[in-house]
Structure formats: C-alpha cells, structure tokens
Amino acid sequence: MYDYDMVVIGSGPSGRRAAVQCAKLGKAVLVVEKGRRVGGVSVHTGTIPSKTLRETVLNLSGWRERGFYGRSYRVKQDIAASDLMIRLQKTLDHEVEVLEHQFSRNLVRTANGEARLVSPHEVEITSGIGETKIVTAAFILIACGTRPFRPADVPFDGHSVLDSDEIIELTKLPRSLAVIGAGVIGVEYATIFSALDVPVTLIEPRPTFLDFIDKELIDEFMHELRDRNVALRLGSKVTSIEKNAQGSIVTHLSDGRHVGTEMLLFAAGRVGATDRLNLEAAGIAVDHRGRIKVDPVTLQTSVPHIYAAGDVIGFPSLASTSMEQGRVAACHALGMEPLAPPEFFPYGIYSVPEISTAGLTEEEVRTRGIPYEVGIARFRETSRGHIMGLNSGMMKMIFSTKTRRLLGVHILGEGATELIHIGQAVLNLKGTIDYFIQNTFNYPTLAEAYKIAGLDAWNRMTR
C-alpha cells in the first residue's frame, strides 16, 4: 500500500537511530536529508564540530599542561584558524563515512533533497537541481533538528557577526570575542576561545545562566571563568549592535555599558527547522520557536502515525537523548513496546572545564523536602589530579540521610562527561552511599573522587 514502512526526515542522531531500528526489524525505510551529506546538524554544524574544535584547542594550546608549566605554555605558539579546520574536516569525513556504512549494511535507503509533506502519508522530495518526486509511507518521523535563532536586529554578516553555525567556518581567529547567550552553546564557545587566550565577554540578559545545573557548580565555574579574565555581563539585555568606524563590533547593553570586540557570536537560542516542511498539510502545528509537541512516552504528534524526535521537540536537546528518542519512536510505530527508560540520564556540557550532572540538584532536593547530606571531592586532592597538574575541578554528591540513597552527582572539571556514568549507574540502580565507601577504584584515577566525596558525606551523616 505504501512505498515505505517509514520515511525519516533528517539524518541526525534521532533520525539515524530510528532508521536503523526500523531496518533491523526488517522494515523498508527511507531517510531524506537536505544537506550535501548525511549526519544532520549534529555532525556538520553542532555536536561533533564544536567538540572537535574544543579538543583541538586544548591539544594545540597545551591547556591541560599549564598546571605544571604555567599559563604561557603552548604546544604550538601561533595557532591559526586553519589548524582548527584541518582536524575538524578529518573528523567530519570520518563521521559521515561511518554513518554511510551503517546505513548501507542495514539496507537503509537515503534520498538527498528537501522534504515537504503534501498529505498525512505523502512526502515530496525536491533535489538540489529542482527535480521532485513523491513517496508514501505508513509512518513518518520528523527529525529535522534546529537552526540558530537569527533576530532581524542583529547585523549578521558571516565575518564579524556570526551565529553558531558560521563560527565553525572561521578563516581567522578573533583578537577579541563577545558571545551573546549564556546557554550551553554560548558557554561552550566562550570557554573554547578563552582557552586560546582570546579575550571573551559573555553576555546574558538573565541574572543567572545554566539554571538546570547545581548552583554550587555554577558558582565554582564562574569563579574559574573570572580567574581566566572572561568578562561576565549578566542581567543586562542587548539594546543594539553596531559596527564602528574602526571596524569593531560594539554591543550596547541596557545598563548603559557597551562591549567592543573584533567579533561577535550570537548564540541566544535555536528554532525548529520546520518552516519549509508544510506541516499544515498533515494537520501538525508548531510553537513560536518552530518546535513540535509530542506525547512524551510515544513521541507521537497530534497525528498518530507521524512522530517527531530530537531537538525539534525541545528540551533536553541532547544528542544522547535524541538517539534514544528516535529508537523509541521507531519501536512504538512498529508495534513494539520499548522498555521504560531509566529515571536518570546525564547532561554533558563540553565547556572548558567540562560540566556533567545526573540526578537531583541540591536546590531540587531542598524543594522536595528530602533530608540530605553532601559530599565534596576536589580533583587536586587525588593523586591522579596531581599527576595531571589539575588545580581545579570538583565532584559533588548528594545522599538521602533517611535511605542513604544517592540522589545526585555533579562534576566540574577534566573528564566530567566520562566520570558521570559511574554515578548515573548507581542512581538508576538505586544504590546507596555504601557502594562508594566499600568499593575499590583504580589508583591513581580521577574516579577516586567518588570515594572521597562518599566518605566526606558519610563523615557528616554519622556525626
């Protein structure tokens, strides 16, 4: 009756995982990707590029060794934008090759072109040379992702005023940078350029930022940023942005201050890339940011056979959760009841230093009225931290004093996004403080911080 069992619009994390899941269940699936190569925003402008740039910067700048050799230490004295782009291109080529091979061996078909719904079961695909064809599908998954929010009053020019897609195509490094928007993307890029010793000003209209992260971690993070001469302009809205006669970008703030820099990155939000999908033809509505509302369990839209997953449905907009959303949507569409997801998943912010968290923050524990105790470990207290020359970094663990269960783990510092998985496992298995006290960790490792923080909390709980 239909050409395909499922048509997937977009080949990012949620689209690829859904397509492969369908194929492994023996179904005919087509992935439509409007970009030149598969991979979506995650591979080409988002997750992989930003993390590759971060790793390149930390390696070439000698950032990780400065604890021993001083702040002036560098592996490469003169770092150019071309140095960053070489590694980036190699990484992206590898990611695309892996994904193409994954599609090929699972018999997932792909079509290059722009998708547009013409009815609830029909998708029109327009190629780059204007040719069109219509395919039909029993189920449709919208996994088109997002693009940067670009207000009309921001003078984007692709050279000195950029969005987060354009920043990865730099031809030269700026001598100074202003970043508007202290969300995950803005914070990541601000700290990456700061690690290159570029003077950075981070501007955020709200008095706080990254509010879903434990406040004590953010306080520690802000202290480290200020110690690196990152200027924070919190609680001030941007009133105007202009280019002066000297070629500098001047950002005027509502408190009367202004910020003059050679380059500006506008990273204040993203919008769903849904405006050209003709969703109204299938009876699907979007919110003011172009996002699609779905059932949180099944990921069905208001039209039962059409699903949506990934960044286009909003929070948490993580590549890791998007992958799982794609798999769950595919399973549900094809009549399989996927297992209930674990209660806790990790957040990872690839700033410099990294931030990663799982479970409840201290603020959430207080709001719920749970009696608790906190354990802290500093990375510099561990032998591994000393070997690595770490002067900063911390782990914070929260335990219930009534049940002794772990409630939350919050990490700031080197390797945070890797270390968090130990805490995530204990959280989802409903483990207690006794695991950390009694367990043996490799020595010397940063993972020892779990034992140090556990003992720190236990000492307070038993007084």
Side-chain angles (χ1 to χ4, degrees), residues 3 21 35 314 323 343 393:
D3 299 324
Q21 179 65 78
M323 289 182 187
E343 184 178 359

Side-chain angles (χ1 to χ4, degrees), residues 171-309:
T171 55
K172 73 180 188 71
L173 296 179
R175 287 174 292 180
S176 57
L177 175 70
V179 178
I180 298 177
V184 172
I185 296 172
V187 165
E188 287 183 350
Y189 278 116
T191 57
I192 288 169
F193 280 92
S194 172
L196 282 170
D197 298 318
V198 173
V200 175
T201 302
L202 184 58
I203 302 167
E204 171 58 50
R206 298 174 302 152
T208 58
F209 65 98
L210 299 180
D211 293 333
F212 61 95
I213 302 294
D214 188 275
K215 188 177 183 301
E216 189 172 2
L217 237 65
I218 294 299
D219 289 343
E220 188 88 6
F221 184 61
M222 289 174 63
H223 173 77
E224 183 157 338
L225 293 187
R226 290 190 172 107
D227 189 53
R228 284 157 49 185
N229 294 319
V230 174
L232 299 175
R233 299 287 183 264
L234 305 179
S236 296
K237 293 183 179 180
V238 175
T239 56
S240 64
I241 302 169
E242 61 182 14
K243 195 170 189 175
N244 65 17
Q246 291 73 42
S248 296
I249 306 301
V250 181
T251 305
H252 298 274
L253 306 179
S254 58
D255 60 4
R257 305 173 81 177
H258 66 271
V259 178
T261 53
E262 185 180 40
M263 187 177 289
L264 181 142
L265 168 62
F266 187 87
R270 297 180 67 86
V271 296
T274 53
D275 54 318
R276 295 175 62 85
L277 290 180
N278 194 34
L279 295 179
E280 58 271 19
I284 297 173
V286 297
D287 67 11
H288 68 289
R289 282 285 178 113
R291 294 169 299 203
I292 301 172
K293 184 177 180 180
V294 297
D295 182 287
V297 176
T298 66
L299 298 168
Q300 287 172 292
T301 66
S302 56
V303 180
H305 72 275
I306 299 180
Y307 293 73

Side-chain angles (χ1 to χ4, degrees), residues 37 66 85 110 141 145 164 175 195 222 308 336-337 351 432 440:
R37 304 175 76 185
R66 291 183 183 179
M85 295 302 114
T110 60
L141 174 68
S164 56
R175 287 174 292 180
M222 289 174 63
M336 292 183 64
E337 192 66 35
S351 50
T432 68
T440 299

Side-chain angles (χ1 to χ4, degrees), residues 116-123 136 140 278 281-282 305-306:
R116 178 176 175 271
L117 298 183
V118 292
S119 78
H121 286 279
E122 292 178 300
V123 178
T136 60
I140 297 171
N278 194 34
H305 72 275
I306 299 180

Side-chain angles (χ1 to χ4, degrees), residues 64-65 67-68 383-390 414 446:
R64 294 186 174 101
E65 306 300 323
F68 276 118
S383 297
R384 178 64 175 171
H386 185 66
I387 291 169
M388 295 170 67
L390 299 181
E414 186 69 25
L446 292 180

Side-chain angles (χ1 to χ4, degrees), residues 297-352:
V297 176
T298 66
L299 298 168
Q300 287 172 292
T301 66
S302 56
V303 180
H305 72 275
I306 299 180
Y307 293 73
D311 287 9
V312 75
I313 68 173
F315 187 84
S317 296
L318 299 170
S320 56
T321 54
S322 294
M323 289 182 187
E324 189 61 12
Q325 288 168 358
R327 188 189 69 82
V328 168
C331 287
H332 188 273
L334 300 177
M336 292 183 64
E337 192 66 35
L339 295 174
E343 184 178 359
F344 300 106
F345 59 88
Y347 294 91
I349 300 175
Y350 290 83
S351 50
V352 183

